[in-house]
């Protein structure tokens, strides 16, 4: 009874903390992706199309749009995946504030489902409790559950829910057909949240069913119902992709880059090269992988990384005596972890203005969420191994100390870190103040060239990103002729202003004029 009460209290604290960061700061978001998801979720909840109209884009080669959105003719469309804004928009039909409830709600359901799934796989209730605990408090999972308009926690949560209904089969009696149906349903939602992950998710599901058929765990009827649930969700998203991008298989991430120049160079690639580029789209960069794993697998949250390594070590040392369940789990986990580590570890992200910053807000933390979830049973196993001492009181003390230390270390990263909830909340409040000042200083029809402020100025003002770009410089005449034109960014030193006025803007008979300074940033008129 005490453990259940503690679990309920923990879930409530987790759920509430995920809303605290965005409370009291209006509809501000902390990244371009979140802003885009919020705005398109609003459109869905209001019964509007998932696009903005911008006729002027036909005159300036489609450069009037914020990051995480794309221009197609006169339309500005999502530049990312559609699952989250669509689902959040459905919740927004009831109340606009419920747009923010989707990700925390999915996170809680995933933790509960993970407990049930781990208990089913390993037949160990304490292992299941600990694995679900470590999933919930892992800094990456906890932090991005509190960034409710990011795709990643929802994606992982739907995968866990799909595996849960397939393997635990919670629906009994004459309604058992709902288990495979819901499995396909949840899988489709997961891929709607992050379609790019289909390259490893679908093979993993195929292997799961192949093994299940051989062990008579799944039937052909289960497969048909799973396909039915999958298609029911997938088909509307294919139609939505077609209406927005002109092809059912295009997303905002896979839109071809627009260019007025046609290259005369044709690069021929072999079919093997094409496959390799599909499987490893960013190539394989060993040193970058090693650095990323060290920084975002261990250094940022060492307690969790060390526990996972210890749990794997315990498994490997006693491999001959291990249960078939642990061996199957290890061989299922290994290819998924290796692929995610190599693919995203080879990519160089620049989320933070400081390229050397190692923070929870950088993309590695959220793209490796499936790895952290899959490693949680090993963390739990490490705890049980450490606590396997002959003295009950010492055993309880060891458990309490390690669990409290893990919770405290995670809470510090999530709340007090450089990108933690406390600083994020302060940053959102500052952006709200900047937004109000900029809107008061510019007319409604203005176009503002920005570097990062698009995430809070659009759609109240039309935006172009960034200033320091030949594309922007080439279109500066057309932009100035369409509407009042401004630049808002880091306050420029006099030498930079002179360079822009004489070399960049001078030939177009334009000049940069300082209007208002807000903190370290300044609004300039381009007249």
């Amino acid at each position: 009874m005490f453990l259940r009460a503690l679990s309920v209290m923990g879930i409530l604290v987790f759920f509430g903390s995920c809303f605290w960061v965005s409370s009291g700061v209006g509809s501000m978001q902390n990244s371009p992706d979140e802003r885009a998801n919020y705005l398109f979720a609003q459109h869905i909840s209001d019964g509007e199309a998932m696009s903005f109209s911008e006729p002027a884009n036909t005159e300036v080669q489609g450069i009037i749009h914020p990051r995480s959105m794309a221009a197609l003719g006169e339309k500005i469309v999502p530049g990312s995946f559609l699952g989250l804004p669509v689902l959040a928009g459905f919740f927004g039909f009831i109340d606009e504030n419920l747009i923010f409830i989707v990700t925390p709600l999915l996170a809680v359901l995933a933790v509960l489902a993970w407990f049930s799934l781990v208990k089913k796989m390993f037949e160990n209730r304490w292992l299941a409790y600990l694995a679900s605990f470590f999933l919930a408090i892992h800094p990456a999972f906890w932090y991005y559950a509190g960034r409710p308009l990011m795709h990643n926690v929802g994606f992982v949560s739907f995968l866990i829910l799909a595996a849960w209904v397939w393997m635990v089969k919670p629906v009994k009696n004459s309604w058992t057909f709902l288990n495979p149906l819901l499995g396909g349903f949840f899988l489709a939602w997961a891929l709607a949240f992050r379609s790019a992950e289909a390259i490893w998710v679908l093979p993993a599901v195929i292997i799961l069913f192949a093994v299940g058929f051989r062990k008579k765990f799944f039937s052909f009827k289960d497969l048909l119902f799973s396909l039915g649930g999958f298609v029911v969700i997938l088909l509307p998203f294919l139609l939505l992709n077609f209406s927005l991008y002109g092809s059912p298989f295009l997303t905002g991430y896979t839109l071809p880059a627009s260019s007025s120049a046609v290259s005369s160079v044709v690069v021929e690639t072999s079919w093997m090269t094409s496959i390799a580029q599909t499987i490893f789209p960013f190539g394989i960069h060993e040193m970058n992988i090693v650095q990323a794993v060290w920084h975002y697998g261990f250094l940022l949250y060492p307690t969790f990384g060390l526990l996972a390594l210890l749990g794997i070590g315990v498994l490997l040392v006693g491999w001959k005596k291990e249960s078939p369940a642990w061996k199957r789990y290890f061989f299922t986990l290994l290819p998924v972890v290796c692929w995610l580590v190599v693919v995203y570890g080879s990519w160089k992200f620049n989320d933070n203005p400081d390229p050397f910053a190692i923070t929870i807000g950088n993309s590695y933390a959220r793209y490796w969420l499936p790895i952290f979830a899959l490693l949680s049973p090993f963390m739990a196993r490490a705890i049980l191994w450490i606590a396997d001492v002959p003295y009950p009181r010492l055993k309880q003390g060891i458990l309490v100390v390690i669990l409290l230390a893990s919770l405290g270390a995670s809470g510090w990263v999530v709340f007090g870190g450089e990108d933690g909830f406390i600083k994020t909340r302060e940053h959102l409040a500052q952006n709200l103040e900047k937004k109000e000042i900029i809107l008061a200083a510019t007319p409604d029809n203005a176009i503002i060239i920005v570097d990062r402020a698009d995430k809070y100025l659009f759609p109240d003002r039309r935006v172009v990103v960034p200033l320091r770009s030949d594309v922007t410089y080439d279109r500066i005449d057309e932009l100035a002729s369409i509407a009042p034109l401004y630049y808002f960014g880091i306050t420029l030193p006099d030498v930079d202003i002179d360079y822009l006025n004489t070399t960049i803007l001078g030939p177009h008979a334009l000049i940069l004029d300082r209007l208002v300074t807000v903190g370290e940033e300044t609004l300039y008129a381009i007249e």
Side-chain angles (χ1 to χ4, degrees):
M1 181 65 70
F2 173 75
L3 192 57
R4 289 184 180 178
L6 191 63
S7 300
V8 171
M9 186 173 67
I11 287 172
L12 291 175
V13 171
F14 173 87
F15 194 72
S17 67
C18 294
F19 288 102
W20 176 79
V21 67
S22 57
S23 62
V25 289
S27 61
M28 302 300 292
Q29 285 77 47
N30 199 44
S31 74
D33 281 357
E34 291 172 286
R35 183 61 174 170
N37 287 333
Y38 173 73
L39 293 174
F40 289 118
Q42 269 193 324
H43 277 212
I44 292 290
S45 65
D46 293 338
E48 300 175 3
M50 286 188 73
S51 62
F52 291 90
S53 176
E54 184 47 74
N57 264 330
T58 57
E59 303 176 42
V60 292
Q61 294 186 340
I63 67 171
I64 303 176
H65 65 85
R67 293 168 294 169
S68 293
M69 298 189 194
L72 288 178
E74 295 187 359
K75 293 193 302 182
I76 297 176
V77 297
S80 183
F81 307 113
L82 305 180
L84 176 56
V86 168
L87 186 59
F90 288 157
F91 276 73
F93 274 127
I94 304 169
D95 186 280
E96 187 174 310
N97 291 320
L98 294 183
I99 287 174
F100 301 98
I101 204 174
V102 172
T103 296
L105 178 62
L106 286 172
V108 169
L109 293 176
V111 169
L112 297 174
W114 192 237
F115 166 78
S116 179
L117 182 58
V118 172
K119 187 176 73 169
K120 170 78 173 181
M121 287 191 295
F122 302 110
E123 299 179 344
N124 187 322
R125 190 176 186 86
W126 269 108
L127 184 83
Y129 269 122
L130 291 168
S132 56
F133 171 78
F134 279 116
L135 172 63
I137 70 160
H138 192 285
F141 189 83
W142 191 357
Y143 178 78
Y144 284 102
R147 299 278 296 272
L149 292 163
M150 300 292 281
H151 309 267
N152 308 81
V153 166
F155 163 71
V156 171
S157 298
F158 273 124
L159 285 184
I160 291 174
L161 290 170
W164 172 62
V165 294
W166 274 328
M167 299 181 69
V168 177
K169 299 183 178 181
V171 183
K172 307 297 182 182
N173 301 324
S174 58
W175 295 92
T176 54
F177 71 92
L178 286 177
N179 292 315
L181 187 71
L182 287 172
F185 179 89
F186 291 141
L187 176 65
W189 271 111
L191 295 182
F193 269 52
R194 281 196 56 79
S195 308
E197 310 293 349
I199 194 170
W200 67 268
V201 170
L202 293 180
V205 171
I206 292 171
I207 292 171
L208 173 67
F209 269 86
V211 173
F213 281 138
R214 185 168 59 84
K215 294 181 175 295
K216 297 183 179 179
F217 188 78
F218 293 119
S219 66
F220 186 69
K221 185 171 68 173
D222 292 331
L223 176 61
L224 291 180
F225 276 117
S226 295
L227 285 173
F230 186 75
V231 170
V232 163
I233 299 302
L234 181 66
L235 188 58
F237 277 104
L238 293 178
L239 294 173
L240 184 57
N241 283 344
F242 181 79
S243 69
L244 289 173
Y245 308 115
S247 168
F249 303 107
L250 281 178
T251 69
Y253 277 132
T254 58
L255 280 175
S258 59
S259 174
S260 58
V262 178
S263 173
S264 59
V265 178
V266 178
V267 180
E268 295 185 1
T269 58
S270 67
W271 64 271
M272 292 183 65
T273 302
S274 298
I275 292 175
Q277 289 174 345
T278 301
I279 298 175
F280 302 109
F282 314 115
I284 300 177
H285 305 286
E286 296 84 356
M287 289 308 300
N288 204 74
I289 293 170
V290 170
Q291 289 180 352
V293 169
W294 169 243
H295 291 156
Y296 296 94
F298 297 98
L299 192 61
L300 194 57
Y301 16 77
T303 305
F304 297 85
L306 291 173
L307 285 174
L309 276 183
L310 178 59
I312 293 172
V314 170
L315 173 72
L316 295 178
V317 168
W319 183 261
K320 290 183 179 180
K321 298 180 181 180
E322 281 301 333
S323 67
W326 274 106
K327 292 180 180 179
R328 284 196 300 267
Y329 186 76
F330 180 76
F331 284 120
T332 301
L333 169 143
L334 192 60
V336 173
V337 170
C338 289
W339 188 84
L340 289 170
V341 164
V342 171
V343 168
Y344 292 117
S346 297
W347 194 0
K348 193 73 173 176
F349 298 106
N350 292 304
D351 301 293
N352 196 294
D354 178 3
F356 301 104
I358 302 168
T359 75
I360 193 73
N362 283 339
S363 295
Y364 298 107
R366 64 178 183 266
Y367 286 157
W368 283 345
L369 270 177
I371 296 177
F372 303 139
L374 289 170
L375 289 177
S376 62
F378 291 103
M379 301 176 198
R381 180 158 183 167
I383 294 291
L384 294 179
W385 181 81
I386 293 171
D388 188 19
V389 295
Y391 306 103
R393 290 184 180 274
L394 180 59
K395 180 177 181 176
Q396 293 172 1
I398 291 172
L399 279 172
V400 169
V401 168
I402 295 178
L403 295 180
L404 287 179
S406 300
L407 180 60
S410 181
W412 170 253
V413 174
V414 171
F415 285 89
E418 183 178 334
D419 284 336
F421 286 169
I422 293 174
K423 288 193 176 180
T424 297
R425 182 181 165 89
E426 293 173 356
H427 185 62
L428 291 174
Q430 291 168 1
N431 284 349
L432 181 59
E433 181 182 358
K434 292 177 188 177
K435 176 181 177 177
E436 292 171 349
I437 293 171
I438 300 306
L439 295 186
T442 57
D444 292 344
N445 67 332
I447 297 174
I448 305 179
I449 302 172
V450 297
D451 296 318
R452 291 181 175 269
D454 54 316
K455 62 187 178 184
Y456 54 85
L457 290 179
F458 185 86
D460 298 279
R461 296 293 183 267
R462 294 178 287 180
V463 295
V464 174
V465 186
L467 173 67
R468 296 161 186 81
S469 164
D470 288 339
V471 175
T472 303
Y473 295 153
D474 290 344
R475 303 268 72 83
I476 203 84
D477 261 340
E478 290 90 338
L479 291 170
S481 66
I482 291 170
L485 186 61
Y486 299 84
Y487 167 64
F488 179 66
I490 294 294
T491 301
L492 299 172
D494 291 340
V495 63
D496 287 359
I497 294 176
D498 291 341
Y499 170 77
L500 287 169
N501 282 338
T502 57
T503 306
I504 303 299
L505 301 177
H508 302 281
L510 295 170
I511 192 170
L512 202 66
D513 187 28
R514 189 189 307 248
L515 292 183
V516 59
T517 297
V518 187
E520 296 180 350
E521 296 172 289
T522 297
L523 177 70
Y524 301 88
I526 301 177
E527 300 175 324

